[in-house]
Amino acid sequence: DSMKEYIKGQYRKSIYTGENGFTIGIFKIKETNIEELKIFVDKTITFTGYFADINTDDMYIFYGEAIDHPKYGFQYQVNEYERVRPDDKEGIIAFLCSDIFHGVGEKMATAIVEKLGDNALDEIIKDPSCLELVPKLSYKKAKNIYDTLIKYEESHKTIVYLTDLGFTMKDSLTIYNTYRDKTISNIESNIYKLLHDIDGLSFLKIDSIARNIGIETDNEERI
């Protein structure tokens, strides 16, 4: 929805992280559709919100609103977010060199992008054997790059899936951290299982989401 207020840019660093994914951090704004934040383009702003895994220097779109907190001053409150996969050479190289990918240095990252171009990440996800074109890249390292990329995509897709169903960001994180890559299959096979496995979710909440995904009121698990 293009009318939603957003800021797009780079996550710089976290100032505070709570154990439930609550984060206060610094964000560098590249673009925004919020008038009062236009003066912050190419500058940094403080933000708060619940996040699954947020990585320094990654590009994100944060949806939310600017608020003036009585104690902490001007900040951006994030209600939902999406990670933007870098699509320019510099961005992809920085991403591949980040802590997420073990053992990939700048030289290797540059070689990958030189060989595979601006769509390098999509190419790798589509067909990991394209990494064989990169000189001096071992099979083991190539496999690691592919696996990491898939896992990274997975966590993001799952969080989006949960928030689309109607879970809050906070609940989505708790669910994801409990089930990881089994999240979607658990919900599809029996959403009421969440009541036993996850603290703090009410029957009413689960039930309203179950209605939305078409589970009948006489469903055995529900009863």
Side-chain angles (χ1 to χ4, degrees):
D1 178 1
S2 58
M3 292 314 292
K4 269 203 299 204
E5 299 201 324
Y6 74 88
I7 56 177
K8 179 180 176 181
Q10 259 176 340
Y11 164 59
R12 282 297 189 209
K13 65 172 184 183
S14 126
I15 300 170
Y16 168 82
T17 315
E19 71 275 23
N20 51 4
F22 179 72
T23 304
I24 302 173
I26 302 285
F27 191 79
K28 185 173 186 182
I29 299 182
K30 292 269 183 235
E31 64 176 75
T32 178
N33 61 356
I34 306 171
E35 273 314 312
E36 60 176 321
L37 293 185
K38 297 251 159 98
I39 52 168
F40 283 100
V41 169
D42 288 328
K43 297 189 176 66
T44 57
I45 188 170
T46 306
F47 70 86
T48 63
Y50 290 92
F51 296 89
D53 42 359
I54 181 164
N55 299 294
T56 316
D57 295 330
D58 263 12
M59 293 287 287
Y60 291 91
I61 295 178
F62 286 173
Y63 299 100
E65 59 213 318
I67 56 165
D68 212 346
H69 192 285
K71 186 171 169 195
Y72 301 110
F74 191 67
Q75 51 180 231
Y76 191 78
Q77 203 171 359
V78 183
N79 301 326
E80 44 179 318
Y81 69 98
E82 52 187 84
R83 189 169 45 81
V84 185
R85 220 193 284 140
D87 54 8
D88 60 322
K89 284 194 166 58
E90 275 165 49
I92 300 170
I93 292 170
F95 178 55
L96 289 169
C97 293
S98 66
D99 299 345
I100 306 158
F101 297 91
H102 294 298
V104 179
E106 195 161 340
K107 238 178 164 162
M108 183 53 76
T110 308
I112 292 170
V113 175
E114 298 280 282
K115 207 69 183 156
L116 302 178
D118 287 1
N119 288 329
L121 302 174
D122 285 322
E123 296 293 333
I124 298 166
I125 287 169
K126 219 162 53 208
D127 177 14
S129 70
C130 70
L131 285 167
E132 291 167 15
L133 302 171
V134 181
K136 297 200 178 84
L137 178 60
S138 70
Y139 172 76
K140 195 178 154 193
K141 213 166 259 187
K143 184 175 174 354
N144 181 34
I145 291 171
Y146 174 72
D147 291 346
T148 306
L149 209 48
I150 291 297
K151 216 163 69 193
Y152 200 56
E153 291 288 297
E154 177 111 312
S155 70
H156 186 67
K157 279 203 185 84
T158 306
I159 297 289
V160 170
Y161 166 82
L162 292 168
T163 52
D164 282 352
L165 284 182
F167 288 105
T168 63
M169 198 49 146
K170 189 179 176 184
D171 289 342
S172 300
L173 292 186
T174 311
I175 297 166
Y176 177 70
N177 287 328
T178 307
Y179 293 147
R180 295 283 167 182
D181 58 350
K182 308 273 187 302
T183 303
I184 295 174
S185 59
N186 277 337
I187 286 180
E188 285 177 349
S189 63
N190 173 17
I191 193 169
Y192 293 100
K193 189 175 180 313
L194 274 68
L195 287 170
H196 306 291
D197 297 342
I198 288 150
D199 286 344
L201 286 182
S202 71
F203 174 78
L204 291 173
K205 177 71 193 163
I206 298 283
D207 206 37
S208 74
I209 289 172
R211 270 316 65 70
N212 294 342
I213 58 176
I215 292 171
E216 301 296 336
T217 45
D218 60 359
N219 174 287
E220 206 173 303
E221 302 291 357
R222 177 177 193 264
I223 292 163

